[in-house]
């Protein structure tokens, strides 16, 4: 194992995944918003709603192209850079990815062509159906990807097979209805809706500030505000559910998020502010709200939330047991008829991954020294300050979105949106926030799972391919250059068309048409 | 429930299904890529290039999913092949990815500025987005046929021992050129169906030539293999078709005539190479005539025949190893577990027909030629 290859592969995966997820939530959210707008168009037959679908659809198209382009990378990277991961868990992990393609991405990608080029070839209802099928596809897509990711957080329904040297599926139902995956799906999709709503809301606010496309912008804001409010509420409530589930399956992640070094008598307090020190294994300063963490994490007043130091002791214990299981595996590999070893492996296969943590220090893990076991156990602690702050900023943003959309909704229902210029400015400048929240969310989920690529089963460093530093440096440099160039082009095109506005893009005055249509009625 | 179908049978079904997915990719995205490669040749003005692109813009995205699903299905059904091939061909895969990334945005971005250099850049991206994947996939198959220099560690980590430039050997390049020319033919046949005027005329011209070259290259490749010019592989012992996926359990020998053995033992397999040659030659001739749809079907049959030929020749091998033949990955020992293959079969049986139905509906909606008049009218999107 080459440490540099591991670090570069992780960096490449992190960068390409963060980058890909700049486009995904907007696709998910805007697709549904387009469906809503077009439904209103088909029901009311008012041109302005079709104008909205077409103009927001144009921006959706730019974003979608980037999402597809960067999504191909994600799928192939498992094979190129994480070959051992692919072999070790492909029997389980590959299936949701393949089903995603068959069930969701085919649907989305086949109908997006008709969404753009089918206006003249389809009836109104036919085109509406196409738009909704496309939106359905993008949402299903998220479902299967999160089932795959949920399994990485909570690997249920699988067991180790000594003959094939990999994890194999035992219960697909458990993989699909994995509680972690389900909570993550709703949380992530809601976050996408928030992103889509914020995008429409902010750009419309930009028009209102300038006094352009007023009818267009007001209607867009009304849709975005109500959709955004519902989604922002859902993202916070379901995020809380996600956290609750994590306390069951990923105790270390929760302890790190809360910078909870020691186990406190229940119910534990929640640190609002803390400056965790990884070396000293304590917080240099903390501002705590009593009881809150215990109530939130365990939904009871008498269940403990275990602290990091106790969890490390637990990991030490598991590593020692894991070495025994690893020995059983070696015996079984040497003599496949050794039924004692087989039974030992079968009963302890959940601990095998803990022995693999020692591979960081030595190949013959059975000879690990107590110091190495100690070091390996401390490896199970993710980066506490990063998790602590990522989580807090994400949650803070989530609460801010609720307030912002609620206010927008209030002003929209009183039909006084454009009277509050200050609010339009706040909305406009809030545009980047959902992206920041989403990326921080993934930081908590993925960085917080370290050192595991599959929680408790496979350490990240073991998952890499047998490739050279030069190869990974080459691809990493390529991605950085290409992705930076594409980001510049993407933003330039977005700004260009937002500035151009719906009137010039569609070739008619959207407000005028809306007014004359209203007058005609 | 999943044990209803024998593991052995499931393994063969998945070999067939992966073949179908790859052929589906070559038939659908193949004409996109072919049209992209023909873009500079058949489109002499910007308007003509728009005409070419207008035929594929509404469909390429769905077509590309055949490729994405193909990759994901390799992962799900043959995780070890996915791991070994993608990490082994690392640089080649990255180049393909780069080409596909630029192609994906090019379709959308190209029309968003009138600037000449802007359009020239994205036209070039589109050309590369067709040429590079077609070439590299062909080269990859050409190399897999000869055996790939890799071995598996006892823990099943695939270790590639070759280099990127090692892929560019004579037989690999021949396969790459075959892939490029047959995809050009297929793209030209598509353009013959979907365009008119000068673009169609030029597409007929280039397509016809590309088709004849492709047929010739296919024949040369066949003779090359037949006279024993490249190594084939034979399982000597140990691979149990119904056994668990453990590639270490077998022994394999190298035999230069081995890839012809399947055709000798099962004469029905000759259908594939005959379909390949007949389809390519047929399309090359038909493309000059009036039966445009029949020509497209013929080029499709040619493409399918060529791909099927290489798959059948190697069966049960998927990715033989030239440096450690025992590490070769085969249908019998590189697949997912019985349960996973069974579940994935249920999924495929449900969704592939649904996909075919709605894809067919989309093509029906978009039927008809794209001509200048239509282009001037604009089509609502971008």
């Amino acid at each position: 194992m080459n440490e540099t290859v591991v670090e570069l592969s992780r960096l490449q995966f992190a960068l390409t995944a963060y980058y890909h997820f700049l486009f995904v939530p907007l696709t998910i959210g805007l697709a549904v918003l387009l469906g809503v707008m077009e439904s209103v168009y088909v029901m009311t037959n008012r041109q302005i709603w079709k104008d909205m679908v077409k103009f927001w659809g144009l921006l959706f198209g730019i974003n979608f192209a980037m999402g597809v382009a960067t999504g191909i990378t994600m799928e192939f990277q498992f094979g190129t850079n994480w070959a051992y991961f692919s072999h070790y868990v492909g029997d389980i992990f590959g299936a949701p990815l393949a089903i995603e393609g068959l069930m969701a991405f085919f649907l989305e990608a086949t109908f997006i062509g008709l969404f753009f080029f089918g206006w003249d070839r389809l009836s109104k209802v036919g085109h509406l159906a196409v738009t909704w099928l496309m939106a359905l596809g993008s949402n299903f897509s998220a479902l299967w990807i999160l089932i795959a990711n949920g399994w990485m957080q909570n690997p249920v329904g699988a067991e180790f097979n000594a003959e094939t040297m990999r994890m194999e599926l035992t219960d697909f139902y458990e993989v699909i209805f994995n509680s972690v995956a389900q909570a993550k799906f709703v949380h992530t999709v809601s976050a996408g809706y928030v992103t889509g709503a914020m995008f429409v809301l902010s750009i419309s606010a930009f028009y209102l500030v300038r006094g352009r496309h007023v009818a267009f912008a007001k209607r867009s804001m009304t849709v975005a505000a109500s959709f955004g409010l519902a989604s922002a509420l859902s993202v916070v409530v379901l995020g809380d559910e996600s956290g609750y589930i994590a306390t069951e399956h990923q105790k270390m992640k929760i302890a790190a998020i809360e910078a909870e070094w020691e186990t406190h008598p229940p119910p534990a307090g929640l640190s609002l502010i803390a400056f965790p020190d990884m070396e000293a294994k304590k917080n240099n300063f903390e501002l705590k709200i009593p009881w809150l963490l215990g109530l939130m994490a365990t939904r009871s007043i008498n269940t403990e939330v275990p602290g990091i130091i106790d969890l490390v002791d637990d990991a030490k214990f598991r590593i020692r047991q894991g070495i025994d299981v690893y020995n059983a595996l070696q015996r079984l590999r040497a003599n496949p008829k050794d039924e004692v070893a087989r039974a030992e492996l079968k009963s302890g296969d959940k601990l095998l991954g803990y022995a693999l943590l020692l591979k960081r220090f030595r190949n013959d893990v059975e000879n690990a020294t107590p110091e190495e076991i100690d070091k390996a156990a401390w490896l199970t602690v993710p980066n506490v300050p990063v998790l602590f702050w990522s989580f807090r900023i994400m949650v803070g943003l989530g609460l801010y979105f609720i307030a912002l959309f609620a206010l927008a909704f209030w002003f929209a229902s009183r039909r006084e949106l454009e009277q509050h210029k200050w609010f339009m400015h706040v909305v406009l400048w809030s545009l980047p926030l959902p992206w920041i929240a989403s990326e921080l969310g993934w930081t908590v989920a993925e960085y917080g799972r370290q050192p595991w690529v599959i929680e408790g089963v496979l350490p990240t460093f073991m998952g890499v391919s047998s490739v050279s530093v030069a190869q990974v440096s080459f691809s990493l440099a390529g991605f950085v250059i290409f992705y930076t160039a594409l980001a510049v082009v993407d933003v330039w095109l977005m700004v260009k068309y937002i500035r151009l506005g719906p009137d010039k893009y569609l070739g008619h005055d959207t407000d005028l048409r809306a007014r004359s249509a209203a007058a005609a009625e | 429930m999943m044990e209803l179908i024998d593991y052995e049978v499931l393994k063969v079904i998945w070999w067939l299904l992966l073949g179908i997915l790859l052929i589906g990719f070559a038939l659908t995205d193949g004409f996109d890529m072919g049209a992209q490669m023909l873009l500079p040749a058949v489109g002499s003005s910007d308007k003509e290039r728009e005409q070419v692109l207008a035929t594929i813009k509404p469909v390429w995205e769905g077509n590309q999913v055949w490729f994405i699903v193909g990759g994901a299905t390799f992962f799900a059904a043959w995780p070890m092949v996915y791991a070994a091939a993608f990490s082994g061909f690392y640089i080649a895969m990255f180049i393909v990815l780069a080409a596909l990334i630029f192609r994906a945005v090019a379709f959308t971005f190209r029309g968003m500025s009138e600037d000449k250099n802007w359009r020239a850049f994205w036209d070039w991206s589109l050309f590369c987005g067709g040429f590079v994947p077609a070439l590299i996939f062909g080269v990859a198959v050409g190399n897999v046929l000869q055996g790939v220099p890799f071995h598996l560690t006892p823990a099943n980590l695939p270790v590639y021992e070759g280099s990127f430039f090692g892929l560019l050997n004579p037989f690999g390049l021949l396969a790459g050129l075959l892939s490029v020319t047959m995809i050009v033919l297929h793209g030209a046949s598509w353009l013959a169906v979907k365009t008119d005027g000068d673009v169609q005329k030029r597409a007929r011209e280039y397509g016809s030539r590309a088709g004849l070259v492709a047929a010739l290259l296919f024949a040369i490749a066949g003779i090359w293999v037949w006279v024993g010019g490249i190594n084939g592989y034979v399982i000597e012992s140990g691979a149990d078709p119904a056994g668990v996926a453990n590639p270490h359990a077998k022994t394999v020998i190298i035999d230069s005539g081995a890839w012809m053995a399947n055709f000798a033992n099962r004469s029905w397999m000759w259908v594939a190479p005959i379909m390949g040659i007949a389809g390519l030659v047929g399309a090359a001739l038909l493309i000059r005539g009036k039966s445009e749809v029949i020509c497209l079907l013929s080029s499709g049959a040619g493409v399918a025949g060529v791909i099927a030929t290489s798959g059948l020749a190697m069966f049960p091998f998927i990715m033989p190893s030239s440096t450690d033949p025992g590490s070769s990955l085969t249908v019998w020992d590189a697949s997912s577990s019985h349960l996973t293959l069974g579940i994935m079969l249920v999924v495929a049986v449900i969704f592939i027909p649904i996909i075919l139905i709605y894809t067919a509906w989309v093509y029906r909606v978009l039927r008809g030629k794209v001509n200048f008049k239509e282009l001037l009218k604009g089509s609502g999107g971008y």
Side-chain angles (χ1 to χ4, degrees), chain A residues 64 75-76 79 81 84 91 102 106-107 113 116 121 164 166 172 333 475 496 505, chain B residues 68 72 82 86 90 112 154-156 245 335-337 340 358 365 367 374 381-382:
Chain A
F64 188 83
E75 195 190 21
F76 289 89
N81 291 74
Y84 200 65
D91 194 62
L102 288 165
F106 250 121
L107 194 66
F116 286 112
R121 291 171 176 263
T164 55
R166 67 183 180 194
F172 194 55
R333 301 268 298 163
S475 58
K496 173 182 162 167
Y505 172 65
Chain B
I68 312 246
Y82 173 81
F86 283 39
Y90 189 87
M112 293 193 155
N156 285 343
S335 75
S336 282
S337 64
T340 299
Y358 64 64
V365 170
R367 70 187 174 277
E374 176 130 348
Y382 30 53

Short mmCIF file of all heavy atoms in Angstrom, two decimals, chain A residues 64 75-76 79 81 84 91 102 106-107 113 116 121 164 166 172 333 475 496 505, chain B residues 68 72 82 86 90 112 154-156 245 335-337 340 358 365 367 374 381-382:
data_model
loop_
_atom_site.label_atom_id
_atom_site.label_comp_id
_atom_site.label_asym_id
_atom_site.label_seq_id
_atom_site.Cartn_x
_atom_site.Cartn_y
_atom_site.Cartn_z
N PHE A 64 -27.76 20.77 -16.03
CA PHE A 64 -27.89 19.33 -16.25
C PHE A 64 -26.69 18.78 -17.02
O PHE A 64 -26.17 17.71 -16.72
CB PHE A 64 -29.19 19.03 -17.00
CG PHE A 64 -29.50 17.56 -17.10
CD1 PHE A 64 -30.11 16.91 -16.05
CD2 PHE A 64 -29.16 16.83 -18.23
CE1 PHE A 64 -30.40 15.55 -16.13
CE2 PHE A 64 -29.43 15.47 -18.32
CZ PHE A 64 -30.05 14.83 -17.26
N GLU A 75 -18.98 7.43 -11.51
CA GLU A 75 -19.24 6.01 -11.64
C GLU A 75 -17.99 5.22 -12.00
O GLU A 75 -17.78 4.11 -11.53
CB GLU A 75 -20.32 5.78 -12.68
CG GLU A 75 -20.85 4.38 -12.58
CD GLU A 75 -21.74 4.04 -13.73
OE1 GLU A 75 -21.63 4.69 -14.77
OE2 GLU A 75 -22.54 3.12 -13.56
N PHE A 76 -17.13 5.83 -12.83
CA PHE A 76 -15.97 5.06 -13.28
C PHE A 76 -14.82 5.13 -12.30
O PHE A 76 -13.93 4.30 -12.33
CB PHE A 76 -15.59 5.50 -14.69
CG PHE A 76 -16.61 5.02 -15.65
CD1 PHE A 76 -17.72 5.78 -15.97
CD2 PHE A 76 -16.52 3.75 -16.16
CE1 PHE A 76 -18.72 5.28 -16.79
CE2 PHE A 76 -17.51 3.26 -16.99
CZ PHE A 76 -18.61 4.03 -17.31
N GLY A 79 -13.96 2.05 -10.18
CA GLY A 79 -13.12 1.04 -10.82
C GLY A 79 -11.70 1.51 -11.03
O GLY A 79 -10.75 0.77 -10.78
N ASN A 81 -9.89 4.01 -9.52
CA ASN A 81 -9.08 4.37 -8.35
C ASN A 81 -9.35 3.53 -7.11
O ASN A 81 -8.58 3.56 -6.16
CB ASN A 81 -9.29 5.83 -7.99
CG ASN A 81 -8.69 6.74 -9.03
OD1 ASN A 81 -9.23 6.87 -10.12
ND2 ASN A 81 -7.55 7.34 -8.73
N TYR A 84 -9.88 -2.19 -5.21
CA TYR A 84 -10.08 -3.20 -4.17
C TYR A 84 -11.44 -3.02 -3.50
O TYR A 84 -12.12 -3.99 -3.19
CB TYR A 84 -8.96 -3.18 -3.12
CG TYR A 84 -8.92 -4.49 -2.38
CD1 TYR A 84 -8.61 -5.66 -3.06
CD2 TYR A 84 -9.27 -4.57 -1.03
CE1 TYR A 84 -8.64 -6.89 -2.42
CE2 TYR A 84 -9.29 -5.80 -0.38
CZ TYR A 84 -8.98 -6.95 -1.08
OH TYR A 84 -9.02 -8.17 -0.45
N ASP A 91 -20.29 -6.85 -5.02
CA ASP A 91 -21.44 -7.76 -5.03
C ASP A 91 -22.69 -7.09 -4.45
O ASP A 91 -23.81 -7.41 -4.84
CB ASP A 91 -21.09 -9.02 -4.23
CG ASP A 91 -22.09 -10.14 -4.47
OD1 ASP A 91 -22.19 -10.58 -5.63
OD2 ASP A 91 -22.79 -10.54 -3.53
N LEU A 102 -30.75 1.68 -14.76
CA LEU A 102 -31.87 1.06 -15.47
C LEU A 102 -33.20 1.73 -15.14
O LEU A 102 -34.05 1.92 -16.00
CB LEU A 102 -31.95 -0.42 -15.11
CG LEU A 102 -30.85 -1.31 -15.70
CD1 LEU A 102 -30.82 -2.66 -15.01
CD2 LEU A 102 -31.08 -1.50 -17.20
N PHE A 106 -31.94 6.25 -17.14
CA PHE A 106 -32.50 6.07 -18.48
C PHE A 106 -33.73 6.96 -18.67
O PHE A 106 -33.90 7.62 -19.68
CB PHE A 106 -32.90 4.60 -18.69
CG PHE A 106 -32.01 3.88 -19.66
CD1 PHE A 106 -31.30 2.76 -19.30
CD2 PHE A 106 -31.89 4.34 -20.97
CE1 PHE A 106 -30.48 2.10 -20.20
CE2 PHE A 106 -31.07 3.68 -21.88
CZ PHE A 106 -30.36 2.57 -21.49
N LEU A 107 -34.58 6.96 -17.65
CA LEU A 107 -35.82 7.72 -17.71
C LEU A 107 -35.52 9.22 -17.85
O LEU A 107 -36.03 9.91 -18.75
CB LEU A 107 -36.59 7.46 -16.40
CG LEU A 107 -38.05 7.86 -16.32
CD1 LEU A 107 -38.87 7.01 -17.27
CD2 LEU A 107 -38.57 7.64 -14.89
N GLY A 113 -34.36 15.03 -23.61
CA GLY A 113 -34.32 15.44 -25.01
C GLY A 113 -35.68 15.96 -25.47
O GLY A 113 -35.79 17.01 -26.10
N PHE A 116 -36.72 19.45 -24.08
CA PHE A 116 -36.25 20.62 -24.81
C PHE A 116 -36.76 20.68 -26.25
O PHE A 116 -37.07 21.74 -26.76
CB PHE A 116 -34.72 20.65 -24.82
CG PHE A 116 -34.15 21.04 -23.49
CD1 PHE A 116 -33.46 20.13 -22.71
CD2 PHE A 116 -34.36 22.32 -23.01
CE1 PHE A 116 -32.97 20.50 -21.47
CE2 PHE A 116 -33.87 22.70 -21.77
CZ PHE A 116 -33.17 21.78 -21.01
N ARG A 121 -43.84 18.99 -30.90
CA ARG A 121 -44.19 17.66 -31.37
C ARG A 121 -45.13 16.93 -30.42
O ARG A 121 -45.56 15.81 -30.71
CB ARG A 121 -42.92 16.83 -31.55
CG ARG A 121 -42.06 17.30 -32.70
CD ARG A 121 -40.73 16.59 -32.70
NE ARG A 121 -39.92 16.97 -33.86
CZ ARG A 121 -39.86 16.25 -34.96
NH1 ARG A 121 -40.55 15.13 -35.07
NH2 ARG A 121 -39.11 16.64 -35.97
N THR A 164 -14.25 -16.25 -1.86
CA THR A 164 -14.16 -15.21 -2.87
C THR A 164 -13.43 -13.99 -2.32
O THR A 164 -13.16 -13.05 -3.05
CB THR A 164 -15.56 -14.78 -3.35
OG1 THR A 164 -16.32 -14.41 -2.19
CG2 THR A 164 -16.26 -15.91 -4.07
N ARG A 166 -14.45 -11.56 -0.35
CA ARG A 166 -15.21 -10.32 -0.50
C ARG A 166 -16.49 -10.40 0.32
O ARG A 166 -16.87 -11.48 0.80
CB ARG A 166 -15.56 -10.09 -1.96
CG ARG A 166 -16.55 -11.11 -2.50
CD ARG A 166 -16.86 -10.92 -3.97
NE ARG A 166 -17.82 -11.93 -4.43
CZ ARG A 166 -18.07 -12.18 -5.70
NH1 ARG A 166 -17.46 -11.52 -6.66
NH2 ARG A 166 -18.96 -13.10 -6.03
N PHE A 172 -31.20 -8.58 0.17
CA PHE A 172 -31.32 -7.34 -0.60
C PHE A 172 -32.37 -6.41 0.00
O PHE A 172 -32.25 -5.18 -0.07
CB PHE A 172 -31.67 -7.67 -2.05
CG PHE A 172 -31.48 -6.51 -2.99
CD1 PHE A 172 -30.26 -5.85 -3.05
CD2 PHE A 172 -32.51 -6.08 -3.81
CE1 PHE A 172 -30.07 -4.78 -3.91
CE2 PHE A 172 -32.31 -5.01 -4.67
CZ PHE A 172 -31.11 -4.36 -4.72
N ARG A 333 -8.16 -20.27 4.93
CA ARG A 333 -7.60 -20.16 3.58
C ARG A 333 -6.58 -21.27 3.35
O ARG A 333 -6.48 -21.80 2.24
CB ARG A 333 -6.91 -18.80 3.39
CG ARG A 333 -7.84 -17.61 3.58
CD ARG A 333 -8.48 -17.15 2.32
NE ARG A 333 -7.52 -16.68 1.34
CZ ARG A 333 -7.80 -16.53 0.05
NH1 ARG A 333 -9.00 -16.85 -0.38
NH2 ARG A 333 -6.91 -16.09 -0.79
N SER A 475 -4.19 12.14 -13.49
CA SER A 475 -5.65 12.29 -13.61
C SER A 475 -6.14 13.42 -12.70
O SER A 475 -7.02 14.19 -13.09
CB SER A 475 -6.36 10.98 -13.27
OG SER A 475 -6.04 10.55 -11.97
N LYS A 496 -24.73 34.99 -18.18
CA LYS A 496 -25.12 35.55 -19.47
C LYS A 496 -26.64 35.43 -19.69
O LYS A 496 -27.30 36.41 -20.05
CB LYS A 496 -24.37 34.81 -20.59
CG LYS A 496 -24.81 35.19 -21.99
CD LYS A 496 -24.08 34.41 -23.06
CE LYS A 496 -24.87 34.50 -24.37
NZ LYS A 496 -24.12 34.04 -25.52
N TYR A 505 -34.67 36.12 -24.25
CA TYR A 505 -34.47 34.71 -24.60
C TYR A 505 -35.69 34.17 -25.34
O TYR A 505 -35.57 33.45 -26.33
CB TYR A 505 -34.18 33.88 -23.36
CG TYR A 505 -34.15 32.40 -23.64
CD1 TYR A 505 -33.18 31.87 -24.47
CD2 TYR A 505 -35.11 31.54 -23.12
CE1 TYR A 505 -33.15 30.52 -24.78
CE2 TYR A 505 -35.10 30.19 -23.41
CZ TYR A 505 -34.12 29.68 -24.24
OH TYR A 505 -34.11 28.35 -24.54
N ILE B 68 -23.40 4.13 -19.54
CA ILE B 68 -23.35 4.26 -18.09
C ILE B 68 -23.87 3.00 -17.43
O ILE B 68 -23.27 2.48 -16.48
CB ILE B 68 -24.20 5.48 -17.64
CG1 ILE B 68 -23.87 6.69 -18.50
CG2 ILE B 68 -24.14 5.70 -16.15
CD1 ILE B 68 -23.23 7.82 -17.84
N ALA B 72 -22.04 0.31 -14.98
CA ALA B 72 -22.58 -0.04 -13.66
C ALA B 72 -22.91 -1.52 -13.59
O ALA B 72 -22.78 -2.14 -12.53
CB ALA B 72 -23.82 0.80 -13.37
N TYR B 82 -14.67 -5.34 -13.55
CA TYR B 82 -14.77 -3.88 -13.45
C TYR B 82 -13.52 -3.32 -12.77
O TYR B 82 -12.89 -2.37 -13.26
CB TYR B 82 -16.03 -3.54 -12.66
CG TYR B 82 -16.24 -2.10 -12.29
CD1 TYR B 82 -16.75 -1.19 -13.22
CD2 TYR B 82 -15.95 -1.64 -11.01
CE1 TYR B 82 -16.96 0.13 -12.86
CE2 TYR B 82 -16.17 -0.33 -10.65
CZ TYR B 82 -16.67 0.56 -11.58
OH TYR B 82 -16.88 1.87 -11.22
N PHE B 86 -10.81 -1.37 -15.26
CA PHE B 86 -10.80 0.08 -15.12
C PHE B 86 -9.50 0.58 -14.47
O PHE B 86 -8.98 1.61 -14.85
CB PHE B 86 -12.01 0.56 -14.32
CG PHE B 86 -13.28 0.58 -15.12
CD1 PHE B 86 -13.58 -0.42 -16.02
CD2 PHE B 86 -14.19 1.62 -14.98
CE1 PHE B 86 -14.75 -0.40 -16.77
CE2 PHE B 86 -15.37 1.66 -15.73
CZ PHE B 86 -15.64 0.64 -16.62
N TYR B 90 -5.95 2.50 -16.70
CA TYR B 90 -6.20 3.75 -15.96
C TYR B 90 -6.11 4.99 -16.85
O TYR B 90 -7.05 5.79 -16.92
CB TYR B 90 -5.20 3.86 -14.80
CG TYR B 90 -5.49 4.99 -13.85
CD1 TYR B 90 -6.37 4.82 -12.79
CD2 TYR B 90 -4.92 6.25 -14.02
CE1 TYR B 90 -6.65 5.85 -11.92
CE2 TYR B 90 -5.20 7.29 -13.15
CZ TYR B 90 -6.07 7.09 -12.10
OH TYR B 90 -6.35 8.12 -11.25
N MET B 112 -24.63 28.33 -27.51
CA MET B 112 -24.91 29.44 -26.60
C MET B 112 -24.09 30.69 -26.87
O MET B 112 -24.17 31.65 -26.12
CB MET B 112 -24.72 28.97 -25.16
CG MET B 112 -25.77 27.93 -24.80
SD MET B 112 -25.90 27.59 -23.08
CE MET B 112 -27.59 27.00 -22.98
N PRO B 154 -3.34 -12.81 -3.79
CA PRO B 154 -4.18 -13.81 -3.11
C PRO B 154 -5.46 -13.20 -2.54
O PRO B 154 -6.49 -13.86 -2.47
CB PRO B 154 -3.27 -14.33 -1.99
CG PRO B 154 -1.89 -14.10 -2.50
CD PRO B 154 -1.94 -12.85 -3.32
N ALA B 155 -5.41 -11.92 -2.17
CA ALA B 155 -6.61 -11.27 -1.63
C ALA B 155 -7.47 -10.69 -2.77
O ALA B 155 -8.42 -9.96 -2.52
CB ALA B 155 -6.22 -10.17 -0.66
N ASN B 156 -7.08 -10.96 -4.01
CA ASN B 156 -7.85 -10.55 -5.19
C ASN B 156 -7.75 -9.07 -5.55
O ASN B 156 -8.66 -8.53 -6.17
CB ASN B 156 -9.33 -10.93 -5.07
CG ASN B 156 -9.55 -12.41 -5.29
OD1 ASN B 156 -8.67 -13.08 -5.82
ND2 ASN B 156 -10.69 -12.90 -4.87
N ALA B 245 -17.17 -17.60 -7.08
CA ALA B 245 -16.31 -16.77 -7.94
C ALA B 245 -14.91 -16.66 -7.36
O ALA B 245 -14.57 -15.69 -6.70
CB ALA B 245 -16.94 -15.39 -8.09
N SER B 335 -17.83 -13.50 -11.51
CA SER B 335 -19.16 -12.88 -11.39
C SER B 335 -19.51 -12.57 -9.95
O SER B 335 -18.79 -12.93 -9.02
CB SER B 335 -20.21 -13.81 -11.98
OG SER B 335 -20.44 -14.87 -11.08
N SER B 336 -20.63 -11.91 -9.78
CA SER B 336 -21.17 -11.67 -8.46
C SER B 336 -21.77 -12.96 -7.92
O SER B 336 -21.78 -13.99 -8.61
CB SER B 336 -22.26 -10.61 -8.53
OG SER B 336 -21.67 -9.35 -8.62
N SER B 337 -22.27 -12.87 -6.70
CA SER B 337 -22.84 -14.07 -6.07
C SER B 337 -24.14 -14.47 -6.77
O SER B 337 -24.74 -13.70 -7.51
CB SER B 337 -23.12 -13.78 -4.60
OG SER B 337 -24.11 -12.78 -4.50
N THR B 340 -27.01 -12.02 -5.98
CA THR B 340 -26.95 -10.74 -6.68
C THR B 340 -27.32 -10.89 -8.15
O THR B 340 -28.09 -10.10 -8.70
CB THR B 340 -25.54 -10.13 -6.53
OG1 THR B 340 -25.29 -9.92 -5.15
CG2 THR B 340 -25.43 -8.80 -7.27
N TYR B 358 -40.22 3.04 -23.97
CA TYR B 358 -40.28 4.50 -23.99
C TYR B 358 -39.24 5.11 -24.90
O TYR B 358 -39.46 6.17 -25.48
CB TYR B 358 -40.35 5.14 -22.61
CG TYR B 358 -39.19 4.98 -21.65
CD1 TYR B 358 -37.94 5.51 -21.93
CD2 TYR B 358 -39.39 4.36 -20.43
CE1 TYR B 358 -36.91 5.39 -21.01
CE2 TYR B 358 -38.35 4.24 -19.51
CZ TYR B 358 -37.12 4.76 -19.80
OH TYR B 358 -36.11 4.64 -18.89
N VAL B 365 -41.69 10.02 -31.72
CA VAL B 365 -42.06 11.44 -31.64
C VAL B 365 -41.10 12.30 -32.47
O VAL B 365 -41.51 13.25 -33.13
CB VAL B 365 -42.07 11.91 -30.16
CG1 VAL B 365 -42.21 13.42 -30.07
CG2 VAL B 365 -43.18 11.23 -29.38
N ARG B 367 -39.48 11.42 -35.10
CA ARG B 367 -39.23 10.86 -36.44
C ARG B 367 -39.21 11.97 -37.50
O ARG B 367 -39.68 13.08 -37.27
CB ARG B 367 -40.31 9.82 -36.79
CG ARG B 367 -41.69 10.42 -37.02
CD ARG B 367 -42.73 9.32 -37.18
NE ARG B 367 -44.07 9.91 -37.27
CZ ARG B 367 -44.80 10.27 -36.24
NH1 ARG B 367 -44.32 10.14 -35.01
NH2 ARG B 367 -46.00 10.79 -36.39
N GLU B 374 -36.65 23.26 -41.01
CA GLU B 374 -36.93 22.94 -39.62
C GLU B 374 -35.98 23.69 -38.69
O GLU B 374 -36.37 24.20 -37.65
CB GLU B 374 -36.78 21.44 -39.42
CG GLU B 374 -36.96 21.01 -37.99
CD GLU B 374 -37.96 19.86 -37.87
OE1 GLU B 374 -38.65 19.58 -38.87
OE2 GLU B 374 -38.03 19.27 -36.81
N GLY B 381 -35.94 24.75 -27.53
CA GLY B 381 -35.00 24.63 -26.42
C GLY B 381 -33.84 25.57 -26.60
O GLY B 381 -34.01 26.78 -26.77
N TYR B 382 -32.66 25.02 -26.55
CA TYR B 382 -31.51 25.86 -26.80
C TYR B 382 -30.85 25.45 -28.09
O TYR B 382 -31.01 24.36 -28.57
CB TYR B 382 -30.49 25.81 -25.67
CG TYR B 382 -30.42 24.53 -24.90
CD1 TYR B 382 -30.24 23.30 -25.56
CD2 TYR B 382 -30.54 24.52 -23.52
CE1 TYR B 382 -30.17 22.13 -24.87
CE2 TYR B 382 -30.47 23.33 -22.83
CZ TYR B 382 -30.28 22.14 -23.50
OH TYR B 382 -30.21 20.98 -22.80
#
